[in-house]
Amino acid sequence: MGQPGAMKSSGALAPLALFSTLLFLALYAKTVLALFLAEDFESVSLDMNVHSVHKRVNERFLSVTIDASLVAEERFMYLLGSPKLRALAKALTPAFLRFGGTKQDFMKFNPQSEYLSSKSNSRKSVHYQGYSCDRFELPPLLEDKLKQEWTLQTSLLHQEELQRKYKKVKFSEYAVDLLYSFANCSGLDLIFGLNALLRTPGNTWDSQNAEVLTSYCESRHYVMSWELGNEPNSYEKKAGIRIDGHQLGQDFLHLRNILQESKLYHSSGLYGPDVGQPREHHKDILTEFLETAADAIDATTWHHYYVNGRDASLEDFLDPQVLDTLAVKTNEVLETVLSVSPMKKVWLGETSSAYGGGAMGLSDTFVAGFMWLDKLGLAAKMGLDVVMRQVLIGSGTYHLVDDNLDPLPDYWLSVLYKRLVGPEVLKAGVLSNSVPKRLLRVYLHCTNRNSSSYRQGAVTLFTLNLSKHQINISLPARISNSSIKAFVLQSAEPGEKGLYSRAIKLNGALLKMVDERTLPPLSGAEVPLGEPLKLPGLSFAFYILQQAHAAVC
Ligand SMILES: *[C@@H]1O[C@H](CO)[C@@H](O)[C@H](O)[C@H]1NC(C)=O
Ligand SMILES: *[C@@H]1O[C@H](CO)[C@@H](O)[C@H](O)[C@H]1NC(C)=O
Ligand SMILES: *[C@@H]1O[C@H](CO)[C@@H](O)[C@H](O)[C@H]1NC(C)=O
Ligand SMILES: *[C@@H]1O[C@H](CO)[C@@H](O)[C@H](O)[C@H]1NC(C)=O
Ligand SMILES: *[C@@H]1O[C@H](CO)[C@@H](O)[C@H](O)[C@H]1NC(C)=O
C-alpha cells in the first residue's frame, strides 16, 4: 500500500486506451505525466494531483541524530566544534538533533564543577559564559589528532555493539556544553535522551540524575527538548530489566511533572517512547504506554531499519519489496496510535538503512541513497511527521558525514531534499500497470518556498530509478512548457561498481565542499523546453516543475 505501483491501474495499456485515460484524467483537472520507455516503447503514466494537499509534515521533517555513544569518551565531543561539521549541519536546518540511542540508558550526568552551589563562580563555567560560537571552534591541529583517535574509538564502539555488553559512562557539563553549542550554533533544535534505566528498588524511574541535568541546563539557559529511554522493548536483553508500557508511561508522566516545574522547560517538547519497530513479541508496549502517557508527550516515536547490517546485500538496497516493508511497519504503528490517541503525531525517532551500525561498504555509499530517499518520500506520504536519520556523525557506517568529517552521498541527498522539498505532500502515482512500475518510485511535494528562486505554484517531483537503464520522461503539453529544473544524482563512478562509491555527482559534476566552511552552490540544470526528462538507470533525481500552477503550493 502507499506505493505508486499499488494505485488503480488499467492493465497493460494499448496506445488508444492510454490516450483515453489521459484525456479522461485531464478532464478531471488532474495533471498527467507520461513516461515513454526508451527501449521498448512501453509507456508508464503518472497521476499527479496538484490541487489538494494530501498530508502536511513538520518543517523539520528531515532531522538527524547523534548517537549517545559519542560521549563514551568525552573528548570526542570536541569534534562537534569542527567548523566544517558546523557548516554541514547548518545546511540541514531547520531540523531536530536527537542525542540518544542505546548508550543513553547507560549514561549518568556527573558534573565536575560547583555550579549548583555557586552558579557562575566556577572558573570552568566562566569559560562558557555568554558564549560566542567562535569560541567553541576546534583548532585544526586538535581536530586532526581527534580524528585519528576516533578511528580506533569507532572500532571499540562497534565491538561493544556486537557483544551487546554496554559499559556505563559518566558525562560532565562540558559534554553538555559542547553538544548544546553545536546544536545552537548550527541552528539545530536539540532533543536530549535521558536515561530510563536508572531505577528505584520498586522499578520506577529514578529521576534524581535527570533533575541534576535539567537544572544544570536551565542554569545555562539551554533551550531544548527531551526524551526518556531508548528502545525499552529490548531492556531485558540489554540490561536484564523489564519495564512494561504502563510503567514507562508512569515514568513519562513523572518526567512531565518535573519539566512543568521548570521555568524554562514547562512547555518544552517531550517525545517517546522510542520503541523499536513492531515485531511479534513486543506489540503491547506502545499501546500500554500511550494508554498511560499520551497526554505527557508531544509526539510518538518509533525506530525503523530495513535490514540487519551484518547480512545486508547490495540487492536489498534496490529491492522494491524491501523498501515496501517500511509501509507495512508504518501502518502497524499508525493503527496502534490511531486506536489509542488519534491526534498524536508520529515520528521516526531514529532510523537508517541497516541496524547494528549500518551495513559495511553499503550504508555509507551511493546505493544507500535509494533507501534514504525512498524512506523520506514514503514516510511523508503516509503522514509521519518527522524522520530522524541515524546518524549525522558517529561510529558505524550509516553516518551522513564520515570519520574525516567529509560529507557522504546521503548528506548531499539530504541537503538537496531540504532545499527543494516543502512540507506539503501531494499525491502522485504510477497509473499504468507496465512492467517496470515497481522499479520506478515517485513522490511529489510542493517546492520548498524558502528556496526563494522558485515561484509560487511550483512542485517538486522526486523519482528513483531502481533499474539499470535510462528512461525518458515526457511531460504532457499542459506542463511541458513549464520551465523545469533537474537535479539528477548519480554515482561518481560508472556501472554497478559505482553503487559502492562514496562520491556522488549532481548533474554530472562531482559534489564536494568548496573549502572547510563552504558548500558548493547545488544548482539545477534547466531542461530545454519540450524535451523529455532523462533519468538514467540506478539514479535518483529531483525535478522542480516551476509552472505547475499548484494553487496549494
Ligand atoms: C530518449 O532520449 C534519447 C536522448 O535524447 C533519444 O535518443 C531517444 O530517442 C529518446 N527515446 C524516446 C523513446 O523518446
Ligand atoms: C522556512 O524558513 C522559515 C524562516 O527561517 C523557517 O521558520 C521555516 O521552518 C522554514 N521552512 C522550511 C520548510 O524550511
Ligand atoms: C543560541 O544561539 C543564538 C544565536 O544563534 C544566541 O543568540 C543564543 O544566545 C544562543 N542560546 C544560548 C542559550 O546560548
Ligand atoms: C530506469 O531505467 C530502466 C531501464 O530499463 C527503465 O526500465 C525504468 O523505467 C527507468 N525508471 C525510471 C524511473 O526512469
Ligand atoms: C503553455 O501552454 C498552454 C497551452 O498550450 C498555454 O495556454 C500557455 O500560455 C503556455 N504557457 C507558457 C508559459 O508558455
Side-chain angles (χ1 to χ4, degrees), residues 58-60 93-94 418 421-423 448 450:
N58 201 292
E59 300 269 325
R60 293 166 179 71
T93 60
K418 273 286 168 195
V421 180
N448 186 354
N450 283 6

Side-chain angles (χ1 to χ4, degrees), residues 481-552:
N481 62 4
S482 158
S483 39
I484 298 169
K485 278 265 162 63
F487 300 78
V488 178
L489 291 164
Q490 283 175 276
S491 169
E493 291 155 56
E496 198 137 325
K497 216 182 74 206
L499 292 169
Y500 300 100
S501 175
R502 291 194 179 78
I504 189 168
K505 291 191 297 188
L506 169 62
N507 296 329
L510 185 69
L511 285 173
K512 55 182 196 313
M513 292 184 84
V514 175
D515 60 42
E516 300 275 295
R517 293 164 197 257
T518 319
L519 272 70
L522 301 177
S523 36
E526 198 78 46
V527 177
L529 277 186
E531 280 217 3
L533 309 176
K534 290 172 205 135
L535 184 59
L538 298 174
S539 70
F540 30 87
F542 299 89
Y543 297 104
I544 313 279
L545 313 180
Q546 297 183 86
Q547 284 99 33
H549 304 298
V552 293

Side-chain angles (χ1 to χ4, degrees), residues 99-373:
F99 186 78
T102 305
K103 204 74 180 179
Q104 96 185 46
D105 289 310
F106 298 88
M107 272 167 41
K108 230 174 147 172
F109 182 49
N110 183 36
Q112 311 285 300
S113 65
E114 307 296 311
Y115 73 93
L116 284 177
S117 44
S118 58
K119 283 192 175 159
S120 56
N121 288 344
S122 138
R123 199 172 53 86
K124 281 158 178 166
S125 295
V126 170
H127 178 70
Y128 295 104
Q129 204 65 29
Y131 74 78
S132 89
C133 289
D134 299 344
R135 211 151 170 184
F136 277 89
E137 256 186 32
L138 183 62
L141 267 176
L142 183 55
E143 179 168 333
D144 287 343
K145 183 166 176 292
L146 271 179
K147 284 195 292 207
Q148 279 164 23
E149 294 168 0
W150 175 241
T151 314
L152 180 64
Q153 175 71 356
T154 56
S155 68
L156 291 177
L157 290 171
H158 189 60
Q159 299 269 307
E160 187 175 304
E161 173 94 37
L162 290 179
Q163 291 164 0
R164 286 184 157 271
K165 281 193 190 130
Y166 303 101
K167 266 195 288 186
K168 292 189 177 162
V169 301
K170 292 185 168 170
F171 64 100
S172 72
E173 61 270 54
Y174 313 124
V176 179
D177 294 340
L178 289 164
L179 178 64
Y180 187 80
S181 86
F182 171 68
N184 189 51
C185 297
S186 313
L188 300 169
D189 296 292
L190 181 62
I191 301 173
F192 191 95
L194 297 166
N195 182 343
L197 280 180
L198 296 169
R199 313 298 293 175
T200 66
N203 199 21
T204 63
W205 180 48
D206 181 348
S207 60
Q208 223 181 343
N209 192 253
E211 288 174 69
V212 178
L213 176 63
T214 54
S215 34
Y216 172 71
C217 291
E218 180 159 7
S219 76
R220 285 269 167 272
H221 308 287
Y222 290 166
V223 178
M224 55 205 278
S225 48
W226 306 91
E227 291 181 350
L228 175 61
N230 178 76
E231 300 189 5
N233 42 277
S234 56
Y235 279 165
E236 206 158 8
K237 223 190 289 177
K238 285 183 291 199
I241 295 175
R242 214 183 134 70
I243 303 174
D244 64 29
H246 174 71
Q247 180 54 53
L248 188 66
Q250 295 291 334
D251 300 339
F252 268 73
L253 291 171
H254 180 46
L255 173 55
R256 182 51 97 183
N257 283 335
I258 292 169
L259 295 175
Q260 256 155 7
E261 274 160 33
S262 146
K263 254 202 205 108
L264 193 57
Y265 304 125
H266 64 88
S267 58
S268 75
L270 174 58
Y271 314 106
D274 282 283
V275 283
Q277 65 203 46
R279 286 184 212 275
E280 295 309 311
H281 306 299
H282 48 69
K283 269 189 183 161
D284 303 337
I285 193 163
L286 182 58
T287 308
E288 280 179 13
F289 171 81
L290 288 172
E291 281 167 357
T292 310
D295 290 343
I297 55 168
D298 299 288
T300 306
T301 50
W302 65 292
H303 298 178
H304 177 268
Y305 294 86
Y306 294 100
V307 286
N308 183 345
R310 258 167 277 175
D311 52 27
S313 68
L314 180 80
E315 288 71 31
D316 289 335
F317 281 75
L318 295 166
D319 185 345
Q321 258 172 317
V322 172
L323 299 182
D324 286 345
T325 58
L326 173 63
V328 176
K329 300 287 184 186
T330 301
N331 268 328
E332 282 184 50
V333 172
L334 289 178
E335 261 169 40
T336 302
V337 176
L338 205 64
S339 69
V340 186
S341 53
M343 301 307 285
K344 200 59 67 186
K345 299 272 191 215
V346 181
W347 291 8
L348 271 176
E350 180 195 301
T351 193
S352 206
S353 49
Y355 60 87
M360 286 275 222
L362 294 169
S363 290
D364 56 351
T365 66
F366 177 76
V367 79
F370 291 94
M371 278 186 174
W372 181 221
L373 185 57

Side-chain angles (χ1 to χ4, degrees), residues 49 52-57 61 376-384 417 421-428 443-446 552-553:
N49 181 343
S52 65
V53 172
H54 168 59
K55 302 276 179 191
R56 188 182 302 273
V57 298
F61 178 73
L376 293 168
L378 191 49
K381 185 170 165 178
M382 297 186 76
L384 298 180
Y417 184 98
V421 180
E424 303 86 2
V425 188
L426 309 176
K427 267 193 167 163
Y443 300 98
L444 189 69
H445 284 235
C446 288
V552 293
C553 296

